[in-house]
Amino acid sequence: MEVLYCEHILDHYRYPRNEGVLEDADISHQRDNPLCGDMIRLDIRLKDGVVEEARFSGRGCVLSIAAASMLTEEIVGRSVAELEAYQDEDIFRLLGITLGPVRARCALLPLQVLKEGLSQLAR
Amino acid sequence: MDTGFDPLTIRADFPVLAREVNGRPLVYLDNAASSQKPQVVLEAVAAFYRHHYAAVRRGVYTLSEEATAAYEEARDKVAAFINAPDRRSIVFTRNTTEAINLVAHTWGRANVGPGDRILVTEMEHHSNLLPWMLLCQEVGAELVYLPITDGGRLELPQLERLLDGPVRLVAVTHVSNVLGTVNPVQAIVAQAHAAGALVLVDAAQSVPHMPVDVGVLGCDFMAFSGHKMCGPTGCGVLYGRVELLEHMPPFLVGGGMIERVGFTGVSWASLPEKFEAGTPAIAEAVGLGAAVDYLERVGMEAIHAHEKALTAYAMESLAALPGVRLIGPPAEERSGVIAFTVASIHPHDLAYALDRQGIAIRAGLHCAQPLHERLGLAATARVSFYLYNTREEVERLVSAVWNAQRWLAG
Ligand SMILES: Cc1ncc(COP(=O)(O)O)c(C=O)c1O
């Protein structure tokens, strides 16, 4: 049988980690992917400038859901400064694949939501 | 009925169709976005550059005269293709989008004012929606929508009521790029004209696929793209009735579109140069002329019949798969476009799974977000056919969708 996505990506898609919303989030932000109408929302609660809890919700393809699920695991325990330093490559590293420009937009949607959420926190 | 139409012979005309993608022969099913190009078009463009290329209209030297003749010959071919009575009614633009923007900017700003209405439909491509939305916002006019049914047809009984008022223009797509629905443009034009409104037809999905006659349709403006009809990118067409074009102010201004420039004023060139400012896409227009010749040689009736047969076959075969939902009207009422969803598989993942099997389809909103919203759809997958697609390719599509279901099902 053909392998479409590596097993750990499919695993995050089928059994997403940290799915849901946080009522008392410090950062709460969502964004659409205009290409396909997908939407990812991130809720993050901070304690002393460090991520205490992170949740995601929304709808999307395997890549956007898996990336959101992995990101919420990845950022717990990290400082705001560390979050701000995240790059596209970090998402590709988490997913373990490189992507063409169109599908990269799906995978990077959760990171984009995070970055926009952080900029609102700063304001 | 034997029309002498043989997709296998036709396939041999398109070099790219010989290639493999991911180890499988390419199956190209994104023709609504853009079509592939036959060898005769590639050769026409290359030969033009090799032997006749120069700037058009200005040079008094041989090359420029040859280039101008070739460019204007392409215009004649396009005019004949849609049965436009006057070559001056054909304006070369970059594509459908630019053609519609041209009308909105020039005719629109000169003729639409506060309180006026523009009527569009709920199934428009963004290119036939946003220019009107912006125009209305700018001049204080109202954008009104002709609704569609849940089955993906226009609510024609509502047209009369919606036309009752200061409607200046009806902007309607001939064929929906998502639903495939073929709209009864001729009847819409008759009703609109009776109510005193002009009609612009977005023919991006019709002119490449079926015989279209502007005289029969009776429309005032029509827009389509060369790249969707076997032509090069960068050259599209605006058809406009000459009386209208003559009274419209220019769109872009600059070189090539003036009669005379003084220090304080200008007079515009005559049609169609008035609307073709700057150096146009000359070689691309020549390529479009070659594409028109090619399509006419194959025959638009035959192309249309072939696509309709493929569409009926594909709809029947896809619908037989569990979890597949087809969007839009039955095959008899549509052109060669099928949007669908597959239960619990995101369209992007489906498109990716099909690409792994050498099959190119589109996934997303297809530049028709309001339509998806109206139908309560997030995103859809879309296949769209052209003259070179075959029943065997439909069969590969169907088994590839079935494979994707097995690979991706939780
Ligand atoms: C119905 C319709 N209108 C307009 C367009 C825009 O065409 P273009 O991108 O060539 O301007 C398309 C195709 O994308 C279309 O399908």
Side-chain angles (χ1 to χ4, degrees):
Chain A
M1 171 166 133
E2 172 118 355
V3 178
L4 266 194
Y5 297 109
C6 355
E7 201 43 52
H8 85 286
I9 293 180
L10 280 176
D11 188 64
H12 273 269
Y13 173 69
R14 289 179 184 143
Y15 313 103
R17 327 295 200 262
N18 305 313
E19 201 175 9
V21 295
L22 292 174
E23 294 302 333
D24 52 350
D26 297 292
I27 299 172
S28 184
H29 188 66
Q30 69 175 57
R31 189 185 169 83
D32 292 346
N33 179 346
L35 212 60
C36 53
D38 287 354
M39 186 276 284
I40 294 289
R41 167 174 160 173
L42 282 180
D43 287 335
I44 295 169
R45 193 173 60 240
L46 301 170
K47 192 177 181 198
D48 305 327
V50 168
V51 177
E52 189 177 44
E53 206 172 350
R55 296 271 172 82
F56 85 93
S57 53
R59 56 162 192 265
C61 60
V62 169
L63 289 178
S64 54
I65 296 296
S69 169
M70 290 174 187
L71 191 64
T72 54
E73 279 194 329
E74 165 80 11
I75 62 178
V76 172
R78 307 255 182 211
S79 69
V80 168
E82 283 176 301
L83 298 192
E84 278 166 350
Y86 272 99
Q87 301 289 327
D88 296 354
E89 290 67 39
D90 295 306
I91 299 297
F92 300 140
R93 176 178 50 78
L94 287 173
L95 288 166
I97 46 174
T98 52
L99 293 164
V102 178
R103 291 240 68 194
R105 278 163 69 175
C106 306
L108 295 173
L109 182 60
L111 180 63
Q112 208 180 345
V113 174
L114 175 66
K115 294 281 180 179
E116 286 174 3
L118 285 170
S119 71
Q120 289 179 2
L121 183 72
R123 267 196 266 120
Chain B
M1 183 179 69
D2 182 15
T3 56
F5 184 91
D6 176 15
L8 291 182
T9 319
I10 285 167
R11 290 182 74 77
D13 296 335
F14 290 78
V16 77
L17 298 180
R19 76 163 275 186
E20 294 197 342
V21 169
N22 294 317
R24 305 289 309 277
L26 165 67
V27 176
Y28 184 75
L29 297 177
D30 194 18
N31 294 288
S34 201
S35 77
Q36 298 299 341
K37 321 301 173 197
Q39 186 68 29
V40 284
V41 168
L42 305 179
E43 270 166 14
V45 173
F48 177 72
Y49 276 128
R50 251 186 230 124
H51 305 296
H52 308 291
Y53 181 75
V56 289
R57 288 174 190 154
R58 285 180 287 268
V60 289
Y61 48 88
T62 303
L63 266 191
S64 178
E65 278 173 356
E66 286 176 9
T68 305
Y71 181 68
E72 294 303 331
E73 189 189 343
R75 192 187 312 277
D76 290 331
K77 287 176 181 176
V78 169
F81 190 60
I82 58 168
N83 202 24
D86 190 328
R87 63 190 315 281
R88 293 177 301 160
S89 62
I90 303 297
V91 175
F92 284 130
T93 61
R94 270 192 310 143
N95 47 36
T96 305
T97 305
E98 188 176 273
I100 297 172
N101 274 274
L102 189 161
V103 178
H105 274 266
T106 63
W107 178 86
R109 273 151 187 80
N111 291 280
V112 182
D116 284 343
R117 290 185 198 146
I118 304 272
L119 182 63
V120 295
T121 82
E122 286 182 342
M123 65 167 81
E124 297 311 313
H125 186 283
H126 294 166
S127 290
N128 197 27
L129 179 59
L130 298 183
W132 309 119
M133 199 183 272
L134 247 66
L135 172 67
C136 287
Q137 283 170 6
E138 233 179 270
V139 304
E142 191 188 354
L143 188 66
V144 186
Y145 291 84
L146 177 63
I148 60 167
T149 65
D150 293 337
R153 301 180 185 90
L154 293 178
E155 284 267 21
L156 287 175
Q158 294 203 33
L159 184 58
E160 193 175 334
R161 178 181 63 77
L162 289 169
L163 281 170
D164 184 16
V167 178
R168 304 305 316 269
L169 179 84
V170 178
V172 60
T173 192
H174 196 178
V175 172
S176 160
N177 69 312
V178 178
L179 306 161
T181 315
V182 183
N183 291 321
V185 166
Q186 199 181 338
I188 293 171
V189 169
Q191 251 182 292
H193 282 174
L198 299 186
V199 179
L200 177 141
V201 177
D202 175 350
Q205 298 298 342
S206 61
V207 165
H209 301 281
M210 59 182 70
V212 172
D213 182 325
V214 287
V216 170
L217 294 182
C219 57
D220 303 285
F221 298 106
M222 191 163 90
F224 54 99
S225 299
H227 70 89
K228 293 181 199 281
M229 51 189 286
C230 297
T233 51
C235 185
V237 176
L238 170 68
Y239 157 82
R241 272 177 31 225
V242 167
E243 314 85 85
L244 292 167
L245 293 178
E246 269 177 344
H247 289 102
M248 282 155 53
F251 179 35
L252 304 176
V253 294
M257 47 77 68
I258 44 90
E259 192 173 82
R260 166 156 209 297
V261 184
F263 283 103
T264 54
V266 306
S267 53
W268 309 121
S270 53
L271 292 175
E273 284 83 12
K274 181 169 88 175
F275 293 107
E276 295 182 0
T279 305
I282 309 163
E284 289 77 2
V286 169
L288 176 56
V292 164
D293 286 342
Y294 178 79
L295 291 173
E296 279 182 333
R297 224 159 34 240
V298 177
M300 294 309 294
E301 288 285 0
I303 292 171
H304 188 47
H306 172 68
E307 289 177 24
K308 279 192 80 83
L310 276 187
T311 303
Y313 182 50
M315 286 179 75
E316 189 189 309
S317 317
L318 284 170
L321 292 173
V324 170
R325 177 181 160 208
L326 305 178
I327 317 297
E332 311 84 67
E333 290 172 49
R334 60 165 100 198
S335 176
V337 179
I338 309 169
F340 62 103
T341 58
V342 180
S344 73
I345 300 184
H346 191 287
H348 272 180
D349 295 315
L350 182 69
Y352 178 63
L354 295 191
D355 180 59
R356 302 309 304 165
Q357 303 171 78
I359 303 174
I361 72 158
R362 187 66 172 268
L365 301 168
H366 322 300
C367 300
Q369 200 160 2
L371 172 63
H372 279 74
E373 201 175 303
R374 160 65 183 82
L375 295 174
L377 297 164
T380 54
R382 180 186 74 183
V383 299
S384 50
F385 300 113
Y386 210 5
L387 68 168
Y388 38 67
N389 291 121
T390 64
R391 281 174 73 90
E392 189 224 332
E393 289 182 315
V394 170
E395 283 150 18
R396 271 191 57 200
L397 166 74
V398 173
S399 60
V401 171
W402 192 74
N403 284 338
Q405 287 178 305
R406 281 189 310 147
W407 296 342
L408 286 164

